[in-house]
Structure formats: structure tokens, C-alpha cells
Amino acid sequence: MERLQQLMRGMPAGGMGGAMGGDSPTPDCAEKVHVSSLALLKMLKHGRAGVPMEVMGLMLGQFVDDYTIHCVDVFAMPQSGTSVSVESVDPVFQTEMVDMLKQTGRPEMVVGWYHSHPGFGCWLSSTDINTQSSFEALNPRAVALVVDPIQSVKGKVVIDCFRLINPQLMMLGQEPRQTTSNIGHLQKPSIQALIHGLNRHYYSIVIDYRKNELEEQMLMNLHKRNWTTGLKVTRYEDFAASTQTIMDQMLKLTASYNERVQQEEGKTLEQIEVDNVGKVDPKRHLEAKVADLMSANIIQCLGTMLDTVVF
């Protein structure tokens, strides 16, 4: 080991020997990947469609500066994968797809690749590390993004971004990058990722999401109700059956409310509160049922009258 370290010290400044010097600059770690909402939706949709198999694709964007990578779009690759690994990248398809995207107004370059881990977290396997090393051979700043479509739920996306660590630096016991920010350490790594080589073979990069005004309008309109929704008329048979069900429930609630009123006679407020702890309040449920029944009947009558006049 000492012999290896002596050989490393004798390397020129362009190699590992440059990192050994005390005044030599160390690569900065305050790097962030900005993922657009369009790219995030595409990755989640592609990953969900491929469950339980892994899927992969390429990320399009640009390297804004030394600290920022902007991913604006992604496209899927025709690779088939097992539950733990995915095939390598098809260079012919990649070249043809990038040329076709340039014709449609997407001149961005490939900034990395993404793949899915359905149900087992975000980390890089040995096959993923080999694929990432081939990407970093073309561009040292290429990133590998992992998304879990199974564990991702509404309001929380299980996603992480990685880049490989030079094994020669780890042999010498040196830090692979200079720590100048605590943003990357705010996300606690999972135990599974640490077992599979996080901070030993690869490190994590902070992911941020950016939306412009048009993307915000698009996302706000996804589940927006149209004004014509309120004019839809329910079938008479179904509406009559639901009305009868609500009326039966109101009859039971009325009977239980009458019993409670009779039981509360002659009691103080404190005794009434103690007796009703953990019990259903029939008065409140009766008010809610009456309001729902009235609103449903009004909407049904108005819709029927409008349909009669218009059609």
C-alpha cells in the first residue's frame, strides 16, 4: 500500500498527484440538478408503466455552470430489464432520437440517464455503476437518476441522483469532493443505499424542481373541474335509489336524536358531555344529510329543466 501511495505521489499534476497538493483545488460538491415538471411526470409515467420491470431513458438538458445541471426533458429507451438490472444503452437509437428531437425544437444535449427501481429504493447496482461509468467516459459531469414509482405517492416522489467516485481517491483515503454546502446532507440516505455502496462507489447530488408559469398552469388544470360538470344529470333510477337510501338514514338518525333528547332531560351540561363521549352525534349527521339531499335535488331539477329547454 505504501508503494502504491509513493507511485501516486509521483504522478503529474493532471492526474492524482495534483489532488495530493495542499493548495490544489478540489472538485466542489455544491452541485444541484434542476428537474422540470415535464421531465418528472414523464419519468414517473414511464416507470409506472414498466412495473415490475426496470425501465430506462436519457435526460436532455444543459450544463448551466459548474454548479447547476438543468434537465428539461427525457425520452425512453427501448431497453428491457429484470427486477434488479437493465440492459446497456443502444447508441444507434440514442443518436437517431437526439437528431429527431432537434428537428422538433429540442436542441438540448444528453446530461445523463435515468432508470427505475420499482419498490426497492434509490441506489446503484453493479450494472448501473458500469452504465454510469460509460456515460462519465463521454462526459465527466453526467449524472444517473433513480426513481421508485412504487414508493412514490401523492405529494412525495422517491427519487435520487448519483455520480461515481474515483476509486483511486478512495484508495488514498481522500474526500472525492470539497464540502462547501450542507444542502446535500439534508436528505438522510437510506440504509439500503449505504449497503449498496453510497459514499463509497458513488455520491448523491441534490435534486431541485423548477416550474415556469406555463407549467404551473398546466399542473393546476390537471384536476380542475369544468363548469359543465355541474350540469350533468344522474339517471333517474340511480338518483331515486340514492335519495331513498338517504331518506332511510335520516329516519334512523331522527329516531336516535329523539331518544337522545329524552335522555338529556333533567341533566346538566357536564353530565351530557360525559355521557356523549365517543358516541355519534345524530343531530350533526342529520344536518349534513339534509344539506346533501337538498343540494342534490336542486342540481338534479336545474339540470333537468336546462336539458328540457336546450335540447
Side-chain angles (χ1 to χ4, degrees):
M1 188 65 185
E2 295 179 357
R3 177 62 177 170
L4 179 61
Q5 291 181 356
Q6 292 177 0
L7 291 175
M8 289 295 183
R9 293 191 187 97
M11 293 178 66
M16 293 300 301
M20 293 294 294
D23 297 333
S24 60
T26 307
D28 204 312
C29 76
E31 196 168 358
K32 186 180 292 187
V33 179
H34 294 297
V35 181
S36 66
S37 56
L38 175 65
L40 184 62
L41 286 174
K42 281 187 175 182
M43 285 187 288
L44 288 174
K45 186 177 180 180
H46 186 207
R48 185 64 62 87
V51 172
M53 298 299 180
E54 289 190 15
V55 296
M56 73 168 296
L58 295 183
M59 303 163 54
L60 296 177
Q62 57 182 344
F63 299 101
V64 180
D65 50 25
D66 293 340
Y67 310 102
T68 308
I69 301 175
H70 192 194
C71 174
V72 297
D73 201 355
V74 297
F75 68 89
M77 297 289 290
Q79 264 68 37
S80 62
T82 63
S83 58
V84 294
S85 63
V86 69
E87 292 180 356
S88 58
V89 181
D90 186 2
V92 178
F93 179 84
Q94 176 181 347
T95 306
E96 294 179 353
M97 191 68 183
V98 171
D99 293 338
M100 293 175 64
L101 288 172
K102 288 181 180 179
Q103 297 177 6
T104 59
R106 280 293 184 196
E108 290 84 9
M109 62 182 297
V110 177
V111 296
W113 66 294
Y114 75 92
H115 70 287
S116 64
H117 276 185
F120 45 93
C122 298
W123 44 274
L124 294 182
S125 63
S126 58
T127 307
D128 300 333
I129 292 177
N130 293 333
T131 306
Q132 175 62 16
S133 63
S134 64
F135 274 91
E136 292 189 9
L138 299 176
N139 192 335
R141 294 191 61 192
V143 294
L145 196 143
V146 184
V147 60
D148 191 338
I150 301 296
Q151 298 182 11
S152 297
V153 294
K154 184 178 180 180
K156 177 186 178 182
V157 180
V158 180
I159 190 173
D160 207 346
C161 190
F162 305 105
R163 187 181 289 148
L164 300 184
I165 295 175
N166 193 336
Q168 295 178 347
L169 287 177
M170 299 304 294
M171 292 172 60
L172 296 176
Q174 295 181 354
E175 288 289 334
R177 52 186 181 160
Q178 182 181 357
T179 304
T180 60
S181 174
N182 64 348
I183 298 179
H185 302 281
L186 295 180
Q187 182 179 0
K188 186 177 180 180
S190 62
I191 299 178
Q192 194 171 16
L194 294 174
I195 293 174
H196 288 88
L198 180 63
N199 297 330
R200 288 185 289 114
H201 303 295
Y202 52 89
Y203 60 88
S204 177
I205 303 177
V206 187
I207 299 179
D208 192 12
Y209 308 104
R210 288 293 181 91
K211 299 185 295 292
N212 55 29
E213 186 176 355
L214 293 177
E215 290 175 341
E216 288 183 359
Q217 293 178 2
M218 176 192 70
L219 294 175
M220 291 297 292
N221 291 329
L222 284 177
H223 302 287
K224 189 177 181 180
R225 296 184 64 184
N226 198 357
W227 65 273
T228 57
T229 306
L231 301 178
K232 292 182 179 179
V233 179
T234 311
R235 291 180 67 250
Y236 177 76
E237 292 80 5
D238 298 338
F239 185 75
S242 63
T243 304
Q244 184 63 37
T245 304
I246 296 177
M247 291 295 294
D248 296 339
Q249 294 175 357
M250 289 173 59
L251 184 61
K252 295 179 181 179
L253 290 172
T254 304
S256 61
Y257 180 55
N258 188 22
E259 293 178 1
R260 176 168 292 191
V261 170
Q262 294 177 359
Q263 293 174 0
E264 291 177 354
E265 291 182 357
K267 295 183 179 180
T268 62
L269 294 177
E270 295 180 356
Q271 292 176 345
I272 293 173
E273 291 179 358
V274 172
D275 293 340
N276 295 332
V277 171
K279 296 182 180 180
V280 177
D281 190 358
K283 181 181 178 182
R284 183 175 300 176
H285 284 270
L286 187 61
E287 292 175 351
K289 294 294 182 183
V290 170
D292 294 340
L293 186 62
M294 290 291 293
S295 61
N297 278 271
I298 291 173
I299 292 174
Q300 185 77 4
C301 293
L302 287 176
T304 305
M305 288 188 294
L306 285 174
D307 291 345
T308 304
V309 173
V310 175
F311 301 106

